[in-house]
Amino acid sequence: MFLDELLRNKLFFWQDRLHGGLVTAGLDRLETFSTLSEQQKTSSMEKKWHMLREDITQNVPFYLKYNKINTLYDYPVVNKKAIADAPADFLHTEYSNIRLFAIRTSGSYGTPITFYLNRLKMKSRLAEVIYYGRKSGCDVGIRHGYFRTFCDKSKYKLWRQNETFFNSKILDDSFLVEANSLIIHRKIKSLIGFPSAISYLASYCMDKESNPAKKYHVSGVITQSENLSKNQREVISEAFHCPVHNRYSTEEFGVLGMEYDQESGFEMNCCNYIIEVLDLHKDEPVKEGEIGRVVVTDLHSNAMPLVRYETGDLAIVGS
């Protein structure tokens, strides 16, 4: 790490300890879970589910009538519209007078919807970003670039997080020249964001330099928000000589999984979520190789518990 990166890293975790160590606890939970056997992982998920079930059937209006049902897969699948139509039915009664964080998404078909997260869930999401980021060479404090169409952070917050914003709304020559200059002069180590923008830049870097990996400091790339094609992954990897990982995350949950290579598929975050892929027309699991709806149960969300929640995404079950 450069000195500025190390200082930011140490300061972040010092502040976390000062405020209860919630991010560190989330990281420890993920790291411990990764060392368990498959049987132990299943047992851990089942235990968390039964604790969640006991809580929501006593404190969340929508689930009061399901207090006699123990099996997760007997619970109804809910979608964004159901929550948007009656958000109060999905709020935990014990959080009515506690400050919550509103997370707003466009929802399916552009329908706006707001989710409410407590402080513990917000820190858990941050722990997921750090845990999976480390697997891609992006730890807290690392100089990194974020490729997005808009920036919702102040200049101070960007500086504090050692983040450089790459405006990816218009991909033209101006974008290429500016992005190339920023990556070189700021010695950026990690690139995060749209694969379309990052691969476009990678192609430019290869055309401009005979061996771009020697000129740039990029050691890892995390793509998100768009589908990462095989060609895009190859172009990025060839340009920067580094691993290219694809992150699957949502605003209402956090990091659901990470794809480390083209062949293995996504490694799902089973520590914090139970993830199902259900038939397109009925609430039954699809067979291996079939496409279906992604349905998620959040095991660590208390203020607005999401149980068998349909994300609006589609996936194929692998072996």
Side-chain angles (χ1 to χ4, degrees):
M1 281 188 176
F2 293 119
L3 180 59
D4 67 307
E5 296 174 324
L6 182 62
L7 290 174
R8 283 176 170 85
N9 185 281
K10 296 299 183 184
L11 180 60
F12 174 88
F13 286 105
W14 177 80
Q15 290 179 323
D16 179 55
R17 285 194 298 273
L18 195 65
H19 293 93
L22 297 180
V23 175
T24 300
L27 283 166
D28 290 343
R29 184 173 64 237
L30 286 159
E31 289 165 358
T32 299
F33 187 84
S34 70
T35 66
L36 301 178
S37 66
E38 291 305 314
Q39 184 177 354
Q40 289 173 321
K41 288 179 180 179
T42 300
S43 177
S44 174
M45 293 163 66
E46 290 177 347
K47 182 179 180 180
K48 290 178 183 180
W49 156 244
H50 286 297
M51 291 175 63
L52 176 63
R53 186 203 70 80
E54 185 175 348
D55 184 29
I56 65 175
T57 54
Q58 296 179 37
N59 299 295
V60 180
F62 181 82
Y63 293 106
L64 296 179
K65 59 181 175 291
Y66 297 104
N67 64 329
K68 301 295 184 183
I69 300 177
N70 292 320
T71 305
L72 170 64
Y73 307 111
D74 289 333
Y75 277 68
V77 174
V78 297
N79 56 28
K80 292 179 174 71
K81 186 177 186 305
I83 296 175
D85 288 345
D89 288 350
F90 292 88
L91 284 169
H92 196 293
T93 55
E94 293 184 2
Y95 287 86
S96 58
N97 296 316
I98 297 177
R99 183 198 171 200
L100 299 175
F101 298 86
I103 303 296
R104 192 169 178 81
T105 71
S106 63
S108 299
Y109 311 109
T111 303
I113 180 171
T114 301
F115 297 90
Y116 295 93
L117 312 180
N118 66 352
R119 182 167 172 265
L120 182 61
K121 174 59 183 178
M122 293 292 288
K123 298 298 183 181
S124 178
R125 293 198 322 163
L126 182 52
E128 292 169 353
V129 171
I130 296 171
Y131 175 78
Y132 286 99
R134 284 175 174 174
K135 291 174 174 284
S136 307
C138 185
D139 203 346
V140 175
I142 291 293
R143 299 178 187 180
H144 63 284
Y146 223 120
F147 293 73
R148 304 181 66 177
T149 55
F150 68 96
C151 182
D152 56 358
K153 298 179 181 180
S154 66
K155 290 184 179 179
Y156 169 72
K157 192 170 185 178
L158 289 171
W159 172 82
R160 191 183 71 192
Q161 295 181 351
N162 228 356
E163 181 176 304
T164 298
F165 169 64
F166 290 83
N167 190 334
S168 307
K169 189 172 184 177
I170 300 176
L171 302 180
D172 55 13
D173 290 345
S174 176
F175 163 81
L176 293 172
V177 172
E178 182 180 10
N180 181 61
S181 176
L182 286 171
I183 288 177
I184 294 173
H185 292 105
R186 296 190 180 181
K187 298 180 179 179
I188 292 173
K189 292 182 179 179
S190 181
L191 307 179
I192 306 169
F194 300 135
S196 55
I198 298 175
S199 61
Y200 184 58
L201 175 61
S203 295
Y204 172 79
C205 291
M206 284 195 295
D207 290 340
K208 186 175 179 61
E209 302 292 335
S210 59
N211 193 343
K214 288 187 177 180
K215 190 169 185 177
Y216 304 101
H217 292 77
V218 179
S219 59
V221 174
I222 302 172
T223 65
Q224 62 179 31
S225 303
E226 298 174 344
N227 180 53
L228 172 65
S229 70
K230 182 178 180 180
N231 180 65
Q232 287 173 334
R233 179 178 248 128
E234 290 174 349
V235 168
I236 297 169
S237 179
E238 183 179 354
F240 301 115
H241 292 195
C242 69
V244 181
H245 298 159
N246 188 18
R247 184 165 68 195
Y248 175 33
S249 60
T250 69
E251 288 290 341
E252 59 268 41
F253 289 118
V255 181
L256 294 173
M258 187 78 86
E259 182 189 51
Y260 298 107
D261 58 65
Q262 198 72 36
E263 291 74 33
S264 302
F266 280 88
E267 175 188 301
M268 306 310 294
N269 181 2
C270 296
C271 175
N272 293 340
Y273 308 99
I274 296 175
I275 302 171
E276 306 171 68
V277 181
L278 303 183
D279 185 270
L280 296 176
H281 306 292
K282 52 189 177 182
D283 296 338
E284 296 179 0
V286 298
K287 297 178 181 178
E288 186 178 311
E290 293 182 345
I291 191 168
R293 298 168 291 140
V294 177
V295 173
V296 179
T297 296
D298 192 334
L299 298 170
H300 293 279
S301 183
N302 300 99
M304 180 178 265
L306 296 177
V307 175
R308 303 198 82 195
Y309 167 81
E310 186 176 339
T311 66
D313 297 325
L314 300 177
I316 295 175
V317 175
S319 56

